Amino acid sequence: MSAPTVHLDGITKRFPGVVANDDVDLTVERGTVHALLGENGAGKTTLMNVLYGLYQPTEGTVRVAGEPRTFESPRDAIDAGIGMIHQHFMLVDTMTVAENIVLGNEPRKWGGLVVDHERAREEVVELSERYGFDVDPDARVEDVSVGVQQRVEILKALYRGADVLILDEPTAVLTPQEVEDLFDVLDELTDQGKTIIFITHKLGEAMHAADDVTVLRDGENVGSVDTDDATREGLAELMVGREVILETDKDERPPGDVVLSVDDLSVTDDAGYETAADMNFDVREGEVFGIAGVDGNGQTELTEAVTGMRTPDGGRVVFDGEDVTDRSRREHIERGMAYIPEDRQEEGLVMEFDLVENSLLGNQHTEPYADTGGIDWESTRGHADDVVSEYDVRPPDVEAEAHSLSGGNQQKFVVGREFSRDPSLVVASHPTRGVDIGSIEFIHDRLLELRQEGKAVLLVSSKLDEVRQLSDRLGVVHDGEIVDVVDPDSVTEEQLGMLMAGEEPASVPQMAARVGGGAPAGGGGR
C-alpha cells in the first residue's frame, strides 16, 4: 500500500452550539478515489473545508504527504497541492474557458505589465491534452454544458498545482452520461497519480466510482471500507444507524379519472425568458406522474404555474375539472392541492416563525384552525404536534423556530404539513432533497400510500432513481419542453440521460402524455 497522501487525525470542529465534526480520523491513499459518504448535516463538507483551509479545526491535526500542516486559508491549502471544486461552480460566465482557468494566476509579459493571452491559451491546451479533457479554450463558459464547466473547474485546480482534488457533490447537476464522463475523468486523474476525495450522499456513486468509502454520521466517522467489500445495504445502515429498505414496493393498480390537466402551458421566469414551452400532460387518480430532467430546464416554473404561485403566459391548468390557471395559491389549497416546494426556506416556511405558526400556513382560513374569532391556537398546536411526531421532526419541539432546525428536519416538517391536508393532488418538487435515507424511505412510502388511496401525484425530481421507482409514467424535460413520456420500468438510464440532454435514443418505450393516447407532449412525438 502506498503512503497516504492525506491523513486527518482527531479532527473536531465546533461552532456555537454545534459539534460539526467529532474526533474524526480519515486516511486517503495516494492515487485513489475516496468517497466521503453521509447524509446532509453529517459533517462531510465541514471536514473537507477544514482540509481546504476554509475552517480551522478546533482540535486535531492535518497531515499532507506525511507532514503536519496548518492552513489559515485556502491559499495555504492550494500551495500544499490541495484543490476543491465546490457544488456551485465559481466561474465567470462571460469569460472564455482559458481565461477562467488562469484567472488570478495569469502568465504575463512585458515585465509583468500585460497578461500573455497566447501563452495562457497554450498552457490550457497542453493541460487539457495531458489529462484527456475535451474542452475548447476559446469557448465562453456561458455557452458550454454544465459537464464541461465542471471540467473547467477541475482544470483550474490542476493549473494551480493540485495533487489532491476535493469534489463536493460533483454529480448534483449532471445528466447520467455526464456522470459517467466525470467518473472517466477521475480514472484518468488517478492513473496519473492524483488523489480524489468526493463528497456524496448517493450510495450508487460511492460504490461505482470510489476505491474506498468513509461514512460520516452525526459528525463522526462510523466506518471506512474498501468498496470491493461493501454493499449498498451495509453502507445505508452505517449512514442511518439502522437497517434501511432501499427498494420501494409499488403495487400495480389501474389509474382513475383525470385530476390535473396541463394544456399547452408556457411560462417565463423572473428575467422574462420562456423556460417552459407548450407543455401537455394529465395526472390521474391513483397515479404518480414523474418529471425527470436536469435542474433548470423549466421544472421550477412548471410547478409554480400548476400550484398558483406563478401566472403562465399561455395555456391553462385544469384541476378537478375546473380551470384554475389564474386562481390564487389559496384557492388551489382550498380545492385540495398540496405543494411541496423545491425551496423549503423561501417557499415552504417562514424561518422566523415557530413550528406551530408554520403548521398554520395554508390552513389559516380553514376549520378547525380558524373560527369566527380568529385562529384556534389549541387546534393549531395539536396539528403541529401531530406533524412533528409522525414525521420524526427533530428536535420534537413545536415552539422551536424553523431556522433552528437542520435542512432535513425543515423538509420533513413541510412534507408532513402538506400531506396532512388530505389532498386530492400532491405536487411534490424534490420532496426528499436534503433528508436522510431513513426519511427518504418514509416519504416514498407516504407518496405511494397516497397513490394507493386514489390520490394523484405530480412528482418532480432530479434523482433518477426516485422518479423511476415511484412513477407510473415519466415525462422527460429538456430546454423547457417535455420531449417524451416513457415507461419508467422499461426505459434505461442511458436512454433517459440522452433524452435529458436533448438527444434522441434509438428506441424508447413511449407512453401517452394524455388519457386516450396521443403523441408525447412538447416535442410532438418521435
Side-chain angles (χ1 to χ4, degrees):
M1 183 70 71
S2 60
T5 296
V6 173
H7 184 73
L8 305 182
D9 184 14
I11 297 295
T12 296
K13 180 59 183 176
R14 297 189 184 95
F15 298 98
V18 176
V19 180
N21 295 135
D22 188 3
D23 193 25
V24 176
D25 293 338
L26 176 68
T27 298
V28 181
E29 304 292 341
R30 184 183 304 279
T32 65
V33 177
H34 197 111
L36 197 58
L37 181 67
E39 291 302 321
N40 286 27
K44 309 182 300 295
T45 299
T46 298
L47 187 67
M48 290 300 97
N49 282 339
V50 168
L51 177 57
Y52 189 56
L54 283 166
Y55 296 149
Q56 286 69 54
T58 308
E59 299 169 12
T61 304
V62 175
R63 297 180 186 274
V64 179
E67 298 294 324
R69 304 298 297 258
T70 300
F71 300 145
E72 298 292 339
S73 71
R75 172 54 61 186
D76 293 341
I78 291 168
D79 290 343
I82 296 172
M84 187 167 184
I85 292 86
H86 299 273
Q87 187 173 349
H88 302 289
F89 303 149
M90 299 181 181
L91 301 172
V92 181
D93 287 347
T94 56
M95 295 175 66
T96 68
V97 165
E99 289 168 341
N100 269 281
I101 290 170
V102 304
L103 186 62
N105 292 267
E106 299 92 342
R108 294 185 173 271
K109 59 184 179 180
W110 299 353
L113 296 176
V114 177
V115 174
D116 190 339
H117 291 286
E118 183 177 352
R119 182 178 155 205
R121 186 184 184 283
E122 291 172 353
E123 290 178 349
V124 168
V125 170
E126 189 277 329
L127 188 68
S128 301
E129 291 177 348
R130 187 191 318 166
Y131 292 102
F133 284 22
D134 182 18
V135 298
D136 178 0
D138 302 315
R140 293 195 181 278
V141 164
E142 63 189 356
D143 296 327
V144 301
S145 70
V146 174
V148 172
Q149 290 179 30
Q150 188 174 65
R151 294 186 184 202
V152 174
E153 286 280 20
I154 293 172
L155 286 168
K156 273 176 58 180
L158 295 172
Y159 185 79
R160 287 153 180 75
D163 187 54
V164 177
L165 287 170
I166 305 165
L167 283 72
D168 188 359
E169 298 284 359
T171 67
V173 292
L174 303 182
T175 67
Q177 275 74 21
E178 288 172 328
V179 171
E180 288 300 321
D181 290 343
L182 171 64
F183 291 161
D184 289 342
V185 166
L186 300 188
D187 287 341
E188 179 63 32
L189 290 170
T190 54
D191 285 346
Q192 299 197 35
K194 301 299 182 183
T195 301
I196 310 295
I197 306 172
F198 78 88
I199 300 168
T200 184
H201 64 272
K202 299 178 180 178
L203 292 169
E205 288 181 4
M207 294 284 292
H208 179 66
D211 300 294
D212 302 281
V213 179
T214 293
V215 181
L216 295 190
R217 186 174 76 238
D218 297 330
E220 299 181 2
N221 180 344
V222 294
S224 294
V225 294
D226 185 314
T227 50
D228 289 339
D229 302 323
T231 64
R232 286 170 56 91
E233 292 76 15
L235 290 175
E237 188 168 344
L238 281 175
M239 291 171 70
V240 179
R242 64 171 179 82
E243 184 180 0
V244 178
I245 305 301
L246 295 175
E247 300 296 328
T248 58
D249 184 15
K250 184 175 65 178
D251 294 334
E252 292 296 326
R253 58 164 291 133
D257 296 334
V258 172
V259 176
L260 175 73
S261 288
V262 172
D263 300 328
D264 297 325
L265 197 70
S266 296
V267 194
T268 56
D269 63 13
D270 293 336
Y273 295 103
E274 185 178 63
T275 52
D278 299 324
M279 288 192 175
N280 290 277
F281 60 88
D282 292 332
V283 187
R284 297 171 289 182
E285 294 173 342
E287 175 185 52
V288 178
F289 186 91
I291 299 287
V294 177
D295 282 349
N297 277 271
Q299 300 97 312
T300 298
E301 290 75 22
L302 168 65
T303 55
E304 289 178 349
V306 167
T307 57
M309 302 287 289
R310 183 183 295 267
T311 301
D313 297 276
R316 64 178 191 154
V317 177
V318 178
F319 176 36
D320 274 343
E322 184 170 343
D323 189 335
V324 296
T325 310
D326 298 319
R327 302 290 180 87
S328 68
R329 175 76 194 111
R330 174 181 170 181
E331 290 176 282
H332 284 67
I333 292 172
E334 290 174 347
R335 289 190 60 81
M337 183 187 297
Y339 177 38
I340 302 166
E342 67 176 83
D343 189 333
R344 53 183 169 255
Q345 295 187 357
E346 291 294 325
E347 299 178 344
L349 298 164
V350 178
M351 302 304 288
E352 295 76 22
F353 283 8
D354 63 27
L355 298 187
V356 175
E357 294 166 315
N358 272 290
S359 74
L360 188 63
L361 298 181
N363 296 322
Q364 60 266 38
H365 304 288
T366 60
E367 295 181 351
Y369 314 110
D371 56 31
T372 55
I375 302 300
D376 185 335
W377 288 107
E378 184 176 351
S379 293
T380 303
R381 183 185 178 90
H383 173 52
D385 280 328
D386 290 343
V387 171
V388 166
S389 174
E390 184 175 357
Y391 286 81
D392 191 29
V393 178
R394 302 179 187 179
D397 177 9
V398 295
E399 295 182 357
E401 294 181 353
H403 67 78
S404 69
L405 274 62
S406 69
N409 281 292
Q410 292 171 5
Q411 184 75 0
K412 286 192 286 185
F413 185 82
V414 171
V415 169
R417 181 191 66 206
E418 294 303 307
F419 284 6
S420 69
R421 297 190 195 281
D422 189 26
S424 58
L425 169 68
V426 173
V427 179
S429 183
H430 307 278
T432 61
R433 178 175 281 172
V435 300
D436 62 40
I437 288 179
S439 298
I440 290 173
E441 175 191 16
F442 182 82
I443 291 170
H444 285 179
D445 286 345
R446 287 292 183 272
L447 283 168
L448 292 179
E449 283 176 10
L450 290 172
R451 170 185 177 272
Q452 194 66 26
E453 293 168 6
K455 314 296 187 183
V457 178
L458 175 60
L459 171 65
V460 179
S461 177
S462 57
K463 298 179 180 179
L464 288 188
D465 56 346
E466 183 167 73
V467 288
R468 290 180 73 188
Q469 286 185 40
L470 298 180
S471 300
D472 297 286
R473 291 181 298 145
L474 186 56
V476 186
V477 295
H478 171 72
D479 199 22
E481 296 186 4
I482 296 181
V483 295
D484 228 329
V485 177
V486 300
D487 180 354
D489 295 326
S490 302
V491 70
T492 67
E493 190 164 295
E494 180 181 5
Q495 289 169 328
L496 268 181
M498 292 182 70
L499 289 169
M500 288 164 61
E503 302 174 17
E504 185 173 349
S507 176
V508 181
Q510 293 183 338
M511 303 184 79
R514 291 218 168 286
V515 174
R526 290 186 181 276

